[in-house]
Amino acid sequence: MRLPSHLPRRTVLQLAAGAAMTGLTGLSTTAALAQTAPASGPRVLRIGHQKGLLSVLKGRGTLEQRLAPLGVKVTWAEFPAGPVQLEALNVGSIDFGDVGEAPPIFAQAAGAPLAYVAATPPRPALEAVLLPASSTVRSVADLKGRKVAYNKGSNVQYFLAKLLEKNGLKYTDVQHVHLPPADARAAFEKGSVDAWVIWDPFLAAAEVTLGARVLADAQGVVNNRYYYFSSLNYAARNADVIKVVIEELDKVDQWAAANRSALAAELSQLWGLPRAVVDKSVARTVYGTTPITRAILQEQQAIADTFFDLKLLPRRINLLEAAV
């Protein structure tokens, strides 16, 4: 696979791992974490995180300061992907984590005892249908009969389904090419596919380094949120701890909104991506942390129902069962 010099192969593969929806190869990692999980004693908050705002919070050290008077010790474990984090939750290795829209739906369908505890505001500008700069496609209707690449079972599959529906096309009107982000980018560069449905920072990287053109983003189609989760048992027994975590995360969000340049510099180091790519992503991100509401769970329910209809889920699920 040929990759541009702006994006080292290692960086792209790391990003792809963070986006993977299948092949949970982190079971050995989560099993090892489970062996070290405390059985009793002082309260502990074990946080699983990807490279993002939770990593920024970790670097600040403010969460530990807030929880110390409550007798709570904080531990951190970094994961390459949301599904692996949720597997860690399922085996009792972590108590809190961050994830996109799709992985918790699959985890709940598999029986994981997860609880949604907070969400970001909608971020529809962070996912889009990309076209090569030379493409003759000018509207969503022009995608009929074309090859469209995306990661199967991800939030962008839901976005694509709703985008086609909004523009009078049937789901079967396009040729669906299921590829993880790194492989999809390679196919997109070679011209093996006509369009690529993808999210940031892959989206920004393709725009900056390939000159890719946005046909449509998710604005006016789907909301595209990010979620924070715990287990139903931990959230019920440690409501005070969860409250503090959410408050501290919101402080980081407010700082991020007011200091985008500083945040971009920090994330560029975390992600190993060119500053121009990160600047583009950070500029269009809406920052904030909001409580879980029935309306937000209904958004997730719509995604779950769509995935069931597309035969991606083995059974229908009730999102209210993942509410604290």
Side-chain angles (χ1 to χ4, degrees):
M1 178 176 64
R2 182 176 65 83
L3 297 172
S5 58
H6 302 81
L7 288 176
R9 180 180 178 86
R10 177 179 61 83
T11 297
V12 174
L13 291 180
Q14 285 175 342
L15 283 170
M21 290 302 307
T22 57
L24 300 183
T25 56
L27 293 178
S28 59
T29 301
T30 56
L33 285 169
Q35 292 172 3
T36 62
S40 60
R43 286 201 292 174
V44 177
L45 173 65
R46 298 164 298 166
I47 300 177
H49 66 107
Q50 301 175 59
K51 294 182 187 297
L53 284 191
L54 272 175
S55 304
V56 175
L57 177 60
K58 177 187 177 184
R60 299 292 189 271
T62 54
L63 180 61
E64 287 83 352
Q65 295 171 17
R66 284 285 310 276
L67 290 177
L70 298 178
V72 178
K73 178 184 177 182
V74 181
T75 65
W76 300 82
E78 186 176 300
F79 291 84
V84 188
Q85 275 182 290
L86 289 161
E87 178 59 29
L89 179 83
N90 197 31
V91 300
S93 301
I94 62 172
D95 308 304
F96 188 91
D98 55 340
V99 73
E101 292 173 325
I105 288 171
F106 289 94
Q108 186 180 347
L114 73 93
Y116 292 87
V117 296
T120 68
R123 294 171 170 175
L126 301 191
E127 58 183 2
V129 178
L130 282 180
L131 302 171
S134 59
S135 175
T136 59
V137 172
R138 290 293 179 265
S139 68
V140 174
D142 291 341
L143 291 177
K144 187 171 184 178
R146 309 262 187 163
K147 292 181 179 179
V148 181
Y150 59 87
N151 199 51
K152 184 178 181 180
S154 68
N155 56 325
V156 294
Q157 185 168 10
Y158 175 67
F159 162 47
L160 176 61
K162 292 303 177 182
L163 181 67
L164 294 173
E165 179 183 299
K166 181 178 180 181
N167 286 272
L169 295 180
K170 294 182 291 187
Y171 185 75
T172 53
D173 280 341
V174 302
Q175 298 182 54
H176 299 266
V177 181
H178 299 147
L179 293 171
D183 293 337
R185 177 177 170 124
F188 183 79
E189 285 189 75
K190 291 188 298 184
S192 301
V193 296
D194 299 297
W196 180 22
V197 195
I198 191 60
W199 59 89
D200 267 341
F202 296 102
L203 170 61
E207 289 178 276
V208 171
T209 65
L210 300 180
R213 175 164 59 88
V214 172
L215 174 64
D217 64 23
Q219 296 184 79
V221 184
V222 298
N223 277 337
N224 187 37
R225 297 180 191 267
Y226 212 70
Y227 290 97
Y228 296 103
F229 65 86
S230 183
S231 69
L232 288 166
N233 185 55
Y234 188 92
R237 294 186 178 186
N238 299 277
D240 56 340
V241 176
I242 297 296
K243 180 175 181 293
V244 170
V245 180
I246 299 309
E247 288 173 353
E248 290 303 308
L249 272 170
D250 191 51
K251 289 178 183 177
V252 173
D253 268 307
Q254 300 309 317
W255 172 84
N259 299 274
R260 292 177 188 263
S261 179
L263 174 66
E266 201 163 337
L267 291 179
S268 181
Q269 290 294 318
L270 275 173
W271 292 345
L273 289 173
R275 179 63 187 269
V277 170
V278 181
D279 280 338
K280 194 171 190 68
S281 177
V282 167
R284 59 190 174 204
T285 299
V286 180
Y287 291 101
T289 308
T290 63
I292 294 296
T293 63
R294 181 176 290 269
I296 288 175
L297 289 178
Q298 287 173 341
E299 290 177 20
Q300 282 291 88
Q301 187 69 59
I303 299 174
D305 291 345
T306 298
F307 282 170
F308 178 78
D309 293 339
L310 295 175
K311 297 180 169 50
L312 296 174
L313 287 181
R315 64 181 181 89
R316 288 195 182 275
I317 60 173
N318 181 0
L319 265 290
L320 292 179
E321 294 175 358
V324 179

